[in-house]
Amino acid sequence: MTTGTPPPTQPARPRRSRVLRFLPLSIAAWLVLEIWLLTVVAGASSGLMVFLLLVGGLVLGSFVIKRAGRRAFKNLSEALQQQQSGVAPAPEAGGGSALTMLGGLLLILPGLISDVLGLLLLVPPLQKVLSRGAERAFERKVREAAAAAPGGLGDAFQQSRIHRPDGKVVQGEVIREDGPSAGPRGPGGGPDDPQLPR
């Protein structure tokens, strides 16, 4: 007997991205490669050399993170002081402290590949290139999200661009009442009407 109702459908499972699908496998492969490389270096030189490399990476990474954190705090306090005094803070040159901190974290992690990647992230020209690429990717993702969801994030960014001359955001709504008697020169609608705010 048919009731006229469609059969229940299974809810669509959200599709996982390729990065999330292969992330556990790539982490496992990276760990195996790090261990293999450490054993090769220990076999070629000595266990003491590997220990000194690991301790050196730990000390250098800690120093880099501490220095980058101090610089980030100093830049933040200077930007806040400039903002309070009414001066627009200058954008930070050189890619910021985030890549430096990431480089320090990679130096702290035990392993030779992570140490090489951490040292590469400390090179200023490479930091500039990576920060520009990250900014472009972030802007592209924001534009895609704005196009995919009208009335969402894109409209919020568009509304945030409406500024008064003193920098404050003006929130409001325009209500226009056009009737048959309210024309540009009709009663209550002319430019010289004393009831209209100026």
Side-chain angles (χ1 to χ4, degrees):
M1 181 169 140
T2 60
T3 59
T5 59
T9 59
Q10 295 289 334
R13 288 174 43 189
R15 192 173 160 211
R16 288 174 46 175
S17 68
R18 289 183 181 175
V19 174
L20 291 178
R21 188 180 306 158
F22 293 112
L23 186 64
L25 182 63
S26 59
I27 289 175
W30 173 61
L31 289 175
V32 168
L33 188 60
E34 288 278 21
I35 292 170
W36 175 77
L37 197 55
L38 286 174
T39 56
V40 167
V41 170
S45 57
S46 66
L48 181 64
M49 182 67 174
V50 171
F51 178 74
L52 290 176
L53 281 173
L54 294 177
V55 170
L58 178 68
V59 170
L60 181 63
S62 301
F63 173 75
V64 166
I65 287 179
K66 188 175 180 180
R67 185 170 166 241
R70 283 183 181 163
R71 186 173 47 191
F73 183 74
K74 178 184 166 196
N75 291 342
L76 178 64
S77 62
E78 286 176 359
L80 288 175
Q81 287 175 355
Q82 288 176 353
Q83 188 177 17
Q84 288 175 352
S85 65
V87 179
E92 184 182 355
S97 300
L99 290 174
T100 305
M101 286 188 177
L102 180 61
L105 180 65
L106 286 172
L107 284 171
I108 288 176
L109 291 176
L112 299 177
I113 298 173
S114 62
D115 288 348
V116 169
L117 290 176
L119 288 173
L120 286 176
L121 285 178
L122 298 180
V123 177
L126 188 59
Q127 282 185 350
K128 289 180 184 178
V129 169
L130 289 176
S131 65
R132 282 192 208 124
E135 286 175 9
R136 282 195 292 264
F138 178 72
E139 289 172 1
R140 187 176 66 241
K141 289 288 185 183
V142 167
R143 281 194 301 267
E144 289 174 1
L153 189 61
D155 287 345
F157 279 128
Q158 184 65 27
Q159 288 179 359
S160 70
R161 292 183 184 151
I162 303 171
H163 292 287
R164 284 181 23 190
D166 59 355
K168 295 181 181 173
V169 176
V170 178
Q171 296 293 334
E173 182 176 329
V174 176
I175 299 174
R176 186 174 186 178
E177 296 180 8
D178 288 338
S181 64
R185 298 191 184 272
D192 296 329
D193 189 4
Q195 294 177 353
L196 290 177
R198 294 175 196 244

